[in-house]
Amino acid sequence: MGPFKNIVIAYDGSQSSLKAVKMGIDMKKNTQANITILHVLEETPVNVPIESTRPDAVPAGGMGGIDGLNIYTNNVKGQVPSQKHVATRNQDGTEQSLNEIHALLSQERVEAPVEVLQGDPAKTICNFADTQESDLIIIGSRGLGGLKKLILGSVSDKVTNTANCPVLIAK
């Protein structure tokens, strides 16, 4: 395998993702690879009202459509989880992170596009790398420990397991 030519660097504002950006900048300087820095605004579920077939009740516990089971409760009014999503990062935090990246690129005298997308971080990174025909993804390691990593997983693990190109994890 020859030198990498088209590299996507995932950046989320963390120290490990900053290391990933610095690694990518060094690779660009040494190999003349093209780099693109990708910042993904993560989406999380929010509560929104749903419509009910009964005006005085909403389905309890999300059991409304399982094997004809239809459980209603009159005291549950208000909101239940839905598939609606919103970005969790505030605009000021994102803007500050992107300003730091632009300042680093300027300081290093490196030109590179910085893309901002919204979605599930791991899926968005992998899809973006595919559409850009990238031959390497560089991503930081958050360093989640023990139980938290077991339950939540990590974006870097998910990217490593689903990407169609090599993944370099910066620690």
Side-chain angles (χ1 to χ4, degrees):
M1 178 181 283
F4 298 107
K5 292 182 170 67
N6 198 12
I7 301 169
V8 170
I9 306 166
Y11 178 73
D12 65 2
S14 68
Q15 286 300 313
S16 61
S17 70
L18 185 59
K19 288 180 185 177
V21 172
K22 289 178 180 179
M23 284 178 139
I25 289 172
D26 287 344
M27 289 180 87
K28 178 174 178 61
K29 287 179 176 180
N30 293 329
T31 66
Q32 297 303 309
N34 293 315
I35 63 172
T36 302
I37 299 168
L38 177 63
H39 182 79
V40 179
L41 297 172
E42 187 174 3
E43 295 180 331
T44 56
V46 295
N47 293 332
V48 295
I50 63 166
E51 293 183 25
S52 172
T53 56
R54 291 179 46 189
D56 63 335
V58 295
M63 308 272 296
I66 300 175
D67 297 327
L69 191 60
N70 213 352
I71 299 173
Y72 286 90
T73 178
N74 289 331
N75 61 0
V76 177
K77 302 212 188 234
Q79 301 183 349
V80 296
S82 123
Q83 296 304 311
K84 301 284 183 186
H85 292 82
V86 294
T88 57
R89 300 238 176 184
N90 65 38
Q91 193 166 356
D92 292 338
T94 299
E95 194 172 319
Q96 180 182 352
S97 293
L98 296 178
N99 286 340
E100 290 171 2
I101 287 302
H102 286 294
L104 178 62
L105 290 171
S106 177
Q107 175 186 339
E108 295 288 334
R109 295 188 176 129
V110 170
E111 288 187 24
V114 178
E115 300 285 338
V116 178
L117 298 176
Q118 186 172 340
D120 173 77
K123 289 179 186 177
T124 303
I125 292 165
C126 292
N127 289 340
F128 183 81
D130 287 345
T131 61
Q132 299 296 309
E133 298 180 359
S134 300
D135 48 14
L136 178 67
I137 297 170
I138 304 177
I139 189 169
S141 169
R142 282 284 190 134
L144 294 177
L147 185 60
K148 193 171 185 180
K149 184 175 182 179
L150 179 65
I151 294 170
L152 299 175
S154 72
V155 173
S156 58
D157 285 342
K158 291 174 187 173
V159 169
T160 301
N161 290 318
T162 58
N164 293 318
C165 64
V167 178
L168 176 61
I169 300 175
K171 286 190 164 199

